[in-house]
Amino acid sequence: MTRFWAVVPAAGVGRRMRHSLPKQYLPLHGRCVIEHTLETLVNHPRISGLVVAIGVEDSYWQDTAFAGHPRVQTVPGGPERADSVRNGLEHLAASAGDTDWVLVHDAARPCLLPEDVDRLMDQLQADPVGGVLGQRVRDTMKRTDAGSRVTATVERSGLWHAFTPQMFRLGLLRRALDTAARDGVAVTDEASAVEHLGMQPQMVEGHAGNIKVTQPGDLTLAGFFLQQARHHERF
Ligand code: C5P
């Protein structure tokens, strides 16, 4: 039977938050950001195990609720997100098969709903490529020059925001990230590495609350979405 695993890159320093703590450790509803993120994945009945990439100079992980958890293993992070993910995948390869699915999910996205994980799994488990949770773009899109002057209005239909989890088979994803690194292609998500191989990942519509905590103010929003989820109100 094909299994599902999760790899969580958590080795970023989050400079855009302008905070001394990396964003995955900022307090949110009585816990820290990464504890909310991991709770959804650790308790998901279809996920066999998790690998979390932790920064080499990280001194906060040890104090989280998931340090030493039997379903959570850790690896050292790398200089870029893709390097952290590659380290996680390499570790996973010792216990997972090439055709097993891997869900890569940002530590900084604490509002992931279990039903979004299920939707991704259900829609993609027979897919030859894999894919990504996201949302269709709703606003009118503008392209600008260096001075923020509009040079074009971009056709909105067919444009998506790409979230995580991004779900691909372990063997394919390792090959994609290795190839991107070898070719010097900078990838900010797994899908772009798979696209670089000439494949077309599938987009799967998820809920709007699955935001990445990036800037001051995002924590307030994340707190709101967590509260809504707790009250079983879906948005
Ligand atoms: O910086 P960004 O928002 O793109 O980070 C997305 C996720 O990747 C975060 O959870 C962050 O901790 C992780 N990351 C990582 N290793 C890096 C950089 C970012 O694991 N070198």
Side-chain angles (χ1 to χ4, degrees):
M1 204 186 75
T2 311
R3 291 174 296 179
F4 296 94
W5 304 87
V7 166
V8 179
V13 290
R15 278 187 199 92
R16 281 168 293 182
M17 286 299 286
R18 298 197 295 275
H19 203 287
S20 58
L21 270 180
K23 58 190 176 184
Q24 60 272 26
Y25 296 116
L26 292 174
L28 175 62
H29 273 249
R31 318 187 75 178
C32 64
V33 167
I34 193 174
E35 289 176 322
H36 291 284
T37 310
L38 294 182
E39 174 151 18
T40 300
L41 295 168
V42 165
N43 292 329
H44 198 287
R46 294 164 77 184
I47 294 180
S48 300
L50 273 75
V51 181
V52 184
I54 304 291
V56 282
E57 291 181 3
D58 183 316
S59 55
Y60 305 102
W61 167 253
Q62 278 315 317
D63 296 327
T64 67
F66 293 98
H69 190 287
R71 278 160 60 74
V72 177
Q73 301 190 45
T74 59
V75 291
E80 302 291 335
R81 181 183 177 282
D83 303 311
S84 300
V85 172
R86 286 173 81 201
N87 291 353
L89 296 176
E90 192 185 331
H91 184 83
L92 202 53
S95 28
D98 266 2
T99 56
D100 282 0
W101 289 104
V102 184
L103 288 86
V104 180
H105 183 62
D106 292 329
R109 291 184 191 270
C111 308
L112 176 65
L113 294 175
E115 49 264 48
D116 264 6
V117 174
D118 281 319
R119 186 173 316 118
L120 195 64
M121 290 171 166
D122 292 342
Q123 288 198 21
L124 297 181
Q125 64 180 344
D127 196 276
V129 181
V132 178
L133 267 187
Q135 276 239 314
R136 288 183 184 276
V137 163
R138 292 170 186 173
D139 301 303
T140 300
M141 304 302 282
K142 303 289 188 193
R143 189 182 305 285
T144 62
D145 60 18
S148 300
R149 288 268 166 205
V150 174
T151 56
T153 297
V154 182
E155 174 60 40
R156 173 177 54 197
S157 66
L159 280 188
W160 289 69
H161 297 276
F163 299 162
T164 70
Q166 305 209 347
M167 187 175 113
F168 296 97
R169 292 185 190 270
L170 176 61
L172 169 65
L173 188 52
R174 291 188 75 197
R175 185 158 63 86
L177 289 170
D178 288 352
T179 305
R182 191 198 61 209
D183 294 351
V185 177
V187 288
T188 52
D189 70 348
E190 289 57 57
S192 29
V194 172
E195 291 157 44
H196 179 65
L197 290 182
M199 295 177 186
Q200 290 187 288
Q202 177 77 42
M203 295 302 299
V204 175
E205 186 104 31
H207 82 100
N210 185 12
I211 59 166
K212 184 166 69 169
V213 173
T214 305
Q215 291 170 0
D218 290 346
L219 272 180
T220 313
L221 205 51
F224 168 78
F225 285 126
L226 284 175
Q227 208 166 7
Q228 296 293 298
R230 261 188 216 164
H231 288 89
H232 301 289
E233 290 170 24
R234 298 306 186 218
F235 19 86

